[in-house]
């Protein structure tokens, strides 16, 4: 275990202890973020880490990757198929049957609204087991995604702690290699599985390498070697998503 991973796992232990909790629960999607987070949690709580595998019209490969990581690192898991619950909820909201191809729904706003039901259903499952076991919910988002609001509010953005929240995606990849995360997961195209063929970078509109470089430029004020238009786009995303990172505004009577 290297210094950074040791520090993160120790931080997880401290946060759980401070909260008076007994362990941690997280969603395991088979992607890089959740795989790295799961291993860090396992190192922090060898006997009190629960990984939930929550397929919802998910690819078989993603489920297999989640199970592969769990087996390699000895992580306890529970698999709950959410497709049926999703279809029932969608039917109640829209009064029609769900079409698995969200892009046929028409309006882009409808696509996102429907797609976001998936992470919000998963959030319900995570907090159910957190309450039941007196565990904390561990979020898997990294700094790249958090900075631009690339997460579902009260979905995958709902968590008690965020161990990767100060690591850019490029930094996370380096950590994944040091933790011996399977190569096929590290090299897999990142995607949230919100609809068939969906990828993170296609939604964001740029690669993570470019995004990370733009975030660092905005933080440091050093823009040499950066595309001004892309940096400006990232800045707009940061500002537009500020409400997703801040506490709920409260009206003050005085």
């Amino acid at each position: 275990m290297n210094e950074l991973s040791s520090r993160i796992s120790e931080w997880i232990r401290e946060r759980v202890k401070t909260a008076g909790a007994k362990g941690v629960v997280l969603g395991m999607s088979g992607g890089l973020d959740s795989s790295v987070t799961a291993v860090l949690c396992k190192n922090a709580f060898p006997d009190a880490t629960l990984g939930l595998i929550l397929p919802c019209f998910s690819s078989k490969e993603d489920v297999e990757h989640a199970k592969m990581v769990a087996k390699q690192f000895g992580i306890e898991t529970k698999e709950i198929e959410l497709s049926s619950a999703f279809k029932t909820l969608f039917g109640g909201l829209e009064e029609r049957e769900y079409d698995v191809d969200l892009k046929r729904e028409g309006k882009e706003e409808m696509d996102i609204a429907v797609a976001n039901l998936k992470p919000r259903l998963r959030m319900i499952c995570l907090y159910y087991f957190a309450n039941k076991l007196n565990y904390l919910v561990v979020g898997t988002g990294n700094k790249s995604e958090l900075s631009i609001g690339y997460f579902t509010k009260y979905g995958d953005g709902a968590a008690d702690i965020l161990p990767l929240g100060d690591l850019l995606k490029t930094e996370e990849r380096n950590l994944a290699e040091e933790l011996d995360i399977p190569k096929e997961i590290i090299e897999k195209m990142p995607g949230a599985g919100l609809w068939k063929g969906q990828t993170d970078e296609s939604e964001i509109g740029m690669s993570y390498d470019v995004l990370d470089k733009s975030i660092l430029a905005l933080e440091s004020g050093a823009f040499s070697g950066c595309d001004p238009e892309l940096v400006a786009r990232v800045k707009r995303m940061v500002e537009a998503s500020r409400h997703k990172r801040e506490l709920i505004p409260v009206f003050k009577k005085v």
Side-chain angles (χ1 to χ4, degrees):
M1 195 184 303
N2 71 2
E3 181 188 358
L4 178 59
S5 63
S6 296
R7 286 172 53 207
I8 296 174
S9 291
E10 179 58 32
W11 179 84
I12 294 171
R13 279 191 292 270
E14 290 175 358
R15 300 304 301 186
V16 171
K17 180 180 179 181
T18 300
K22 297 179 179 179
V24 291
V25 58
L26 74 154
M28 294 184 66
S29 67
L32 183 64
D33 298 344
S34 67
S35 297
V36 171
T37 304
V39 175
L40 293 170
C41 287
K42 176 67 176 181
N43 290 340
F45 287 96
D47 301 315
T49 292
L50 176 62
L52 297 187
I53 300 174
L54 303 167
C56 186
F57 297 102
S58 305
S59 75
K60 291 182 179 179
E61 180 185 65
D62 288 343
V63 174
E64 289 170 358
H65 283 170
K67 291 179 178 179
M68 177 172 62
V69 170
K71 182 178 180 180
Q72 178 178 333
F73 294 95
I75 299 168
E76 179 187 357
T77 62
K78 184 175 181 64
E79 182 175 352
I80 304 167
E81 173 57 63
L82 295 178
S83 299
S84 178
F86 179 92
K87 289 175 69 175
T88 299
L89 179 57
F90 177 86
L93 293 169
E94 291 291 325
E95 298 183 341
R96 58 190 172 92
E97 289 189 8
Y98 171 66
D99 185 339
V100 71
D101 186 355
L102 288 178
K103 287 303 180 182
R104 295 178 189 166
E105 297 294 344
K107 296 181 180 179
E108 186 68 20
E109 308 91 83
M110 175 63 77
D111 294 345
I112 297 302
V114 175
N116 280 338
L117 290 177
K118 294 183 180 182
R120 288 175 176 140
L121 275 175
R122 292 177 177 128
M123 177 273 292
I124 292 171
C125 296
L126 289 167
Y127 273 96
Y128 172 81
F129 283 99
N131 288 164
K132 184 176 181 178
L133 301 171
N134 189 22
Y135 281 7
L136 290 190
V137 172
V138 181
T140 63
N142 56 56
K143 182 177 179 178
S144 306
E145 295 155 356
L146 296 174
S147 296
I148 61 170
Y150 187 65
F151 58 89
T152 298
K153 196 171 185 178
Y154 304 119
D156 56 318
D160 298 313
I161 57 174
L162 287 165
L164 301 182
D166 198 38
L167 271 68
L168 295 169
K169 189 75 169 188
T170 44
E171 296 174 309
E172 181 191 345
R173 288 195 189 110
N174 293 333
L175 181 59
E177 292 178 355
E178 293 169 357
L179 290 172
D180 291 325
I181 300 297
K183 185 177 180 180
E184 51 262 59
I185 293 177
I186 296 175
E187 296 179 349
K188 182 168 65 172
M189 181 67 71
L194 297 181
W195 57 78
K196 187 177 181 180
Q198 180 264 344
T199 66
D200 292 353
E201 293 183 342
S202 63
E203 270 202 281
I204 294 170
M206 65 189 76
S207 70
Y208 273 108
D209 289 344
V210 172
L211 173 60
D212 288 356
K213 191 173 182 180
S214 299
I215 291 172
L216 291 173
L218 288 169
E219 289 181 343
S220 66
F223 300 98
S224 177
C226 295
D227 184 326
E229 291 186 7
L230 291 178
V231 172
R233 187 194 304 174
V234 171
K235 184 178 181 180
R236 288 194 297 271
M237 288 191 283
V238 171
E239 293 173 349
S241 62
R242 193 175 303 278
H243 71 97
K244 299 176 78 172
R245 294 182 297 275
E246 295 178 344
L247 291 175
I248 300 172
V250 176
F251 168 75
K252 299 295 184 181
K253 61 184 178 182
V254 178

